[in-house]
């Protein structure tokens, strides 16, 4: 027995035979049924439309296409960015002691020259721990920018080498040789990374090579970092200058190396 609709319907008003797929009689206009049955399309279900996936290219492997730089994630610079933020939060919340992140006269531990690069907090006259938020924001921002560019160009080892040599070297000269007192933060490392990255383009333009670097923007950032000690007592001017000079030396050496 067929489960489909009848062959025809009879209008109760005029007795005419009409199609089972209409709701009103075409002769007298009387309503025959509330709704017409669905048309039978052979019982074949509709095929589901395939989802349209956007094509995605795999990551480029080193040496896969000659002349095109492979994709690499910059991880070293993000460690250098996250470390001072974690240390600052830990010091302010009392979970971390401020002592290991302070380098100054009377503190003979040489390792403090390295750990002080991640400290941006001090004890004020009321013996309260306060953080140098502006100093940290400018310095860590410059480290993130130029560290990322340098790591993309030469690799993680170059970022870590420049950061610790310029930062710790600048802090050592400021405290031990210039008797500046106390060194905190990594403004010397920030200037070192900036100089190490920009020297290739500076030397290239002297030889007539063209590039897309915005040297005026780099110069503006360098000026802010150099003048930072005037706005923040935590920043060391001598550490910044020494770090920048050492970074320029690294930049000259890196300019002769093959890039990634």
């Amino acid at each position: 027995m067929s489960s489909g609709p009848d062959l025809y319907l009879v209008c109760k008003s005029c007795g005419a035979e009409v199609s089972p797929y209409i709701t009103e009689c075409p002769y007298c206009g009387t309503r025959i049924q509330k709704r017409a049955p669905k048309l039978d399309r052979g019982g074949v279900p509709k095929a589901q439309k395939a989802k349209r996936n956007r094509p995605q290219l795999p990551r480029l492997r080193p040496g896969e296409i000659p002349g095109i730089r492979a994709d690499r994630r910059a991880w070293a610079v993000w460690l250098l960015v996250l470390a001072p933020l974690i240390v600052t939060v830990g010091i302010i919340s009392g979970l971390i002691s401020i002592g290991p992140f302070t380098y100054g006269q009377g503190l003979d531990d040489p390792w403090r020259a390295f750990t002080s690069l991640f400290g941006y907090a001090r004890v004020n006259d009321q013996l309260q721990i306060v953080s140098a938020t502006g100093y940290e924001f400018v310095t860590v921002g410059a480290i993130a920018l130029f560290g990322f560019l340098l790591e993309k160009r030469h690799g993680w080892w170059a970022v870590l080498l420049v950061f610790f040599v310029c930062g710790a070297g600048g802090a050592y000269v400021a405290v031990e040789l210039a008797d500046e007192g106390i060194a905190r933060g990594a403004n010397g490392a920030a200037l070192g990374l900036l100089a190490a990255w920009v020297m290739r383009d500076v030397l290239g333009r002297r030889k007539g090579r063209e590039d897309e670097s915005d040297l005026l923007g780099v110069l503006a950032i360098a000026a802010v970092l150099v003048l930072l000690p005037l706005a923040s007592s935590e920043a060391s001017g001598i550490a910044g200058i020494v770090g920048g000079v050492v970074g320029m030396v690294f930049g000259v050496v890196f300019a002769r190396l093959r890039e990634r």
Side-chain angles (χ1 to χ4, degrees), residues 151-234:
E151 185 169 355
K152 284 292 186 180
R153 182 182 292 176
H154 294 291
W156 61 268
W157 62 270
V159 176
L160 297 181
L161 178 65
V162 174
F163 178 86
F164 286 109
V165 172
C166 294
Y172 179 85
V173 172
V175 173
E176 302 297 340
L177 302 182
D179 296 332
E180 196 170 63
I182 293 178
R184 296 187 184 93
N187 61 319
L191 278 166
L193 290 171
L194 182 151
W197 178 80
V198 79
M199 283 305 297
R200 186 206 68 171
D201 297 333
V202 172
L203 296 176
R205 291 193 180 186
R206 292 186 61 182
K207 296 180 180 180
R209 291 199 299 264
E210 296 183 358
D211 55 71
E212 298 180 354
S213 300
D214 182 9
L215 295 188
L216 290 179
V218 176
L219 180 61
I221 297 175
V224 172
L225 291 173
V226 171
L227 298 176
L228 198 57
L230 299 178
S232 176
S233 59
E234 284 77 15

Side-chain angles (χ1 to χ4, degrees), residues 62-97:
E64 184 175 358
I65 301 179
I68 298 181
R69 186 180 304 171
D71 295 332
R72 291 185 175 92
R73 290 187 175 91
W75 60 268
V77 65
W78 298 122
L79 293 180
L80 299 178
V81 170
L82 291 176
L85 300 179
I86 294 174
V87 170
T88 299
V89 173
I91 292 176
I92 297 300
S93 61
L95 299 177
I96 301 177
S97 174

